[in-house]
């Protein structure tokens, strides 16, 4: 059976796997297709193992049923058509740096704080975990932004777009409004981001969801 990338990713938020210690993250165990040995026998992964692996590394955004962004998140890199972002450690801080759709990107992560720029637009955000929810607020794409993710929904403003998404099978689904344009929208987050901190995940959402 194909794994739901977003269902796994949302467990990251609801159980605290995002931002958890290395030891705690080992218990999350998302996104891996396994061959298990039991009592001397080998149980093979099912026929959809390749699909499972793809789902575990795919960041997908779809507007009105059309894929607007299909990106691959593996290790410390986010790649896709016209996207090449690396995740580095410099002076004890995480840095997301690269190019997205022809725009240079650099965002530094210091604990809960995200600061930097997407092109010429400054980014300044704080990501705070409040129980089972992740609350992010600050400046994205020259706009005041605030959004929240919990076990049931993702709502709020990210840059120039507002989101009202409910958790459903296979992801979040609902409505997105960007200026005068409003329509259906779905989002999937990859389980490969399980080791990323809350602030790093917030930075990725700001980068890719802040404008249509």
């Amino acid at each position: 059976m194909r794994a739901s990338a977003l269902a796994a990713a949302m467990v990251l938020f609801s159980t605290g796997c995002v931002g958890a210690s290395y030891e705690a993250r080992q218990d999350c165990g998302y996104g891996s297709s396994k061959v298990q040995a039991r009592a001397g026998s080998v149980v093979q992964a099912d026929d959809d193992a390749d699909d499972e692996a793809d789902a575990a590394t795919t960041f997908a955004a779809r507007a009105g049923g059309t894929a607007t962004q299909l990106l691959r998140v593996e290790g410390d890199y986010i790649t896709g058509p016209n996207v090449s972002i690396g995740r580095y450690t410099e002076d004890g801080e995480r840095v997301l740096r690269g190019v997205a759709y022809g725009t240079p990107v650099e965002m530094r992560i210091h604990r809960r704080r995200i600061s930097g720029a997407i092109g010429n637009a400054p980014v300044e955000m704080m990501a705070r975990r409040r129980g089972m929810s992740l609350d992010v607020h600050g400046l994205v794409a020259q706009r005041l932004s605030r959004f929240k993710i919990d076990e049931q929904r993702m709502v709020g403003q990210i840059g120039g777009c507002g989101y009202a998404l409910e958790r459903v099978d296979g992801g979040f689904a609902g409505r997105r409004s960007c200026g005068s344009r409003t329509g259906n929208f779905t989002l999937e987050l990859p389980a490969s981001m399980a080791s990323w901190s809350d602030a790093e995940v917030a930075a990725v959402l700001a980068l890719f969801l802040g404008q249509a």
Side-chain angles (χ1 to χ4, degrees), residues 33-189:
S33 55
K34 298 179 180 178
V35 178
Q36 300 176 338
R38 292 182 181 173
S41 64
V42 176
V43 179
Q44 297 289 341
D46 63 33
D47 293 338
D48 289 334
D50 288 342
D51 286 344
E52 230 175 272
D54 288 344
T57 59
T58 300
F59 177 105
R62 296 181 173 86
T66 301
T68 59
Q69 298 183 90
L70 288 174
L71 307 173
R72 195 169 187 85
V73 183
E74 288 188 291
D76 291 324
Y77 297 95
I78 303 174
T79 57
N82 303 311
V83 173
S84 179
I85 302 292
R87 176 173 170 249
Y88 309 97
T89 301
E90 296 178 358
D91 301 324
E93 297 180 346
R94 287 289 196 186
V95 181
L96 299 181
R97 179 186 295 127
V99 177
Y101 310 112
T103 300
V105 174
E106 181 163 332
M107 289 185 281
R108 304 188 74 88
I109 314 296
H110 180 69
R111 297 183 181 176
R112 297 190 299 264
R113 183 183 178 192
I114 305 110
S115 61
I118 301 172
N120 295 322
V123 174
E124 290 287 343
M125 297 188 297
M126 292 291 291
R128 297 182 184 276
R129 179 175 288 279
R130 302 179 188 277
M132 292 293 192
S133 70
L134 178 62
D135 192 354
V136 184
H137 68 274
L139 186 68
V140 178
Q142 300 180 329
R143 294 173 181 261
L144 291 176
S145 303
R146 183 159 200 164
F147 61 98
K148 177 180 176 181
I149 305 173
D150 60 27
E151 296 173 286
Q152 297 179 328
R153 60 186 63 86
M154 173 178 162
V155 295
Q157 187 79 17
I158 307 178
C161 297
Y163 293 87
L165 309 178
E166 300 290 331
R167 187 177 177 184
V168 297
D169 263 353
F172 281 118
R175 303 286 285 176
R176 177 179 73 169
S177 300
C178 300
S180 61
R181 291 172 294 176
T182 300
N184 294 332
F185 187 84
T186 61
L187 174 68
E188 297 173 13
L189 297 175

Side-chain angles (χ1 to χ4, degrees), residues 198-212:
D198 288 342
E200 289 172 311
V201 173
V204 170
L205 294 177
L207 172 58
F208 294 112
L209 300 186
Q211 51 192 339

